[in-house]
Amino acid sequence: MTTASDYSEKIPNNVELREDRRLQRALESWQPNFLNWWESMGPTLPTQDVYLRTAINVGREGWAHFGHVAMKDYRWGIFLAERDPGRQIGFGAHKGEPAWQKVPGEYRADLQRLIVIQGDTEPASVEQQRNLGATAPSLYDLRNLFQVNVEEGRHLWAMVYLLHAYFGREGREEAEELLHRNSGSLESPRILGAFNEETPDWLSFYMFTYFTDRDGKYQLGTLKESAFDPLSRTCEFMLKEEAHHMMVGTTGVDRVVERTAQVMVENDTDDVAALGAIPLPVIQKYLNFHYSVSLDLFGGETSTNVANYFTAGLKGRWLEGRRQDDHQLTSDSIMVDALDDAGDGQPSIGQLEVSALVGLNTDLRREYIADCQGGVNRWNKILAGAGLPHRVKLPHIAFNRRVGAFAGIEASPDGELLSADEWAARQGEWLPTDVDKTYVRSLMRPVHERGKIAAWIAPPRNGINGKPFDYDYVHLA
Ligand SMILES: [Fe+2]
Ligand SMILES: [Fe+2]
């Protein structure tokens, strides 16, 4: 049922945009606004061209094309995964009914909200990362940064397509708003907290693409289950691109840890700051920060909104099809993290049994946490392989939380409850301090020469698309 992508069009697409003149015109009038946004809020480093992957189709084979392109001429297109004509709703009250090709009136507002929240994160990360090009540790890394940026731009297109095609005038207005809100803006910030934090250095970038893009993977995974078929198909294709973003994060942190371990071993010291590498305790602090703000993105431990989204069929669970239950959850329960108050006014960290529907945020966050542990295991393997006894770890779920059950308390990375004073006195042991950030930033000097790499990071094991590390991935202006 897939249609060949039309690449000769102004907006490459596989949704037969040509057949719907109104929609085509609406999107063509949004396009210059998008390009203005890209010019003013996108990457600041001037380049001639970049070796980029461009999505051109959705099939298993050959869905992407690689080549040097000027970024402003990148072909941001609209691609939905192939339609399964027999697809049925997999969960909730409508389980077993045919998937929706149109938006049911009763769910219109909720679906629009879910799409806007997802859409808002896509350009936000481009804004957060816009100055990183100036300090890239290699041309390979620079190219990866720009690849992530153009694809987040395409993800914005993916959400804007849905808003334009299915949500009428309100959808078009929301599409405009997606370009007007800006990361960190005081008047009109991005919707979610983590997307208003700056990404000031490359260690932050790798941590962001590891932990925060991974949140994106889980959110897209729940929307891929949606009864609203165009949303499902859109997210399925976005997940394909998202895998590369997380590879950038995973291998980026790998390489920082590898280089640090190497300098530690060669000099028989933990104090690698004097030697131009990033000390392990600083890496741990960056990890603590990005992990905890990403946990907040999953929302409160309990949520009646999310229960309603599930029952309505708007948003499912991670890998819904593989769950061994009735996919309706009306009589199931789940233990969620909670603050206990033993009656003496002293809270403690405990668990609370709630209905499974209300605890769906917890279910998703746990899937995410288990996935994050995979990275920690990799990084510890690198340390062990270097013969070092040091290890990194994920901090406790209550650490540095601003959303949910633990928003009102402070806890150490080991889960020990702290008074506000203790937290104030000790948080610099666990979160990056100004001194740490200044040090990391002092290392961020550009290495824009072919085949060269900054001293604080190891080179990658593999290049991109079979090219070597010393390939001319980027031509600077
Ligand atoms: Fe994205
Ligand atoms: Fe991403």
Side-chain angles (χ1 to χ4, degrees), residues 118 121-122 125 151-152 155 213 220 238 242 245:
Q118 181 60 42
T121 66
E122 312 289 355
S125 64
E151 283 175 350
E152 299 305 4
H155 292 176
D213 275 288
L220 292 175
M238 289 163 75
E242 210 58 56
H245 308 180

Side-chain angles (χ1 to χ4, degrees), residues 124-125 127-129 183-185 190 192-200 208 212 289-290 293 296 400 402 437:
S125 64
E127 294 164 354
Q128 291 171 289
Q129 296 161 12
S183 178
S185 158
R190 292 295 174 184
L192 300 171
F195 291 90
N196 288 300
E197 302 280 349
E198 54 177 342
T199 310
F208 184 96
T212 308
F289 173 76
H290 286 274
V293 300
D296 277 347
N400 193 39
R402 298 294 170 260
K437 292 183 205 170

Side-chain angles (χ1 to χ4, degrees), residues 371-431:
D371 195 356
C372 288
Q373 185 60 43
V376 167
N377 296 346
R378 280 174 78 104
W379 305 325
N380 283 335
K381 232 187 202 161
I382 293 170
L383 292 169
L388 292 168
H390 308 68
R391 298 293 179 264
V392 291
K393 63 171 191 166
L394 296 178
H396 191 275
I397 192 165
F399 172 78
N400 193 39
R401 295 293 304 283
R402 298 294 170 260
V403 172
F406 306 122
I409 56 112
E410 299 297 352
S412 73
D414 293 324
E416 177 199 350
L417 282 175
L418 304 169
S419 70
D421 288 346
E422 285 172 299
W423 170 256
R426 298 190 62 190
Q427 62 163 306
E429 294 171 37
W430 308 312
L431 291 172

Side-chain angles (χ1 to χ4, degrees), residues 270-292:
D270 291 358
D271 183 17
V272 296
L275 300 160
I278 303 179
L280 270 185
V282 175
I283 296 174
Q284 178 71 60
K285 288 187 204 181
Y286 273 67
L287 183 161
N288 289 347
F289 173 76
H290 286 274
Y291 174 69
S292 55

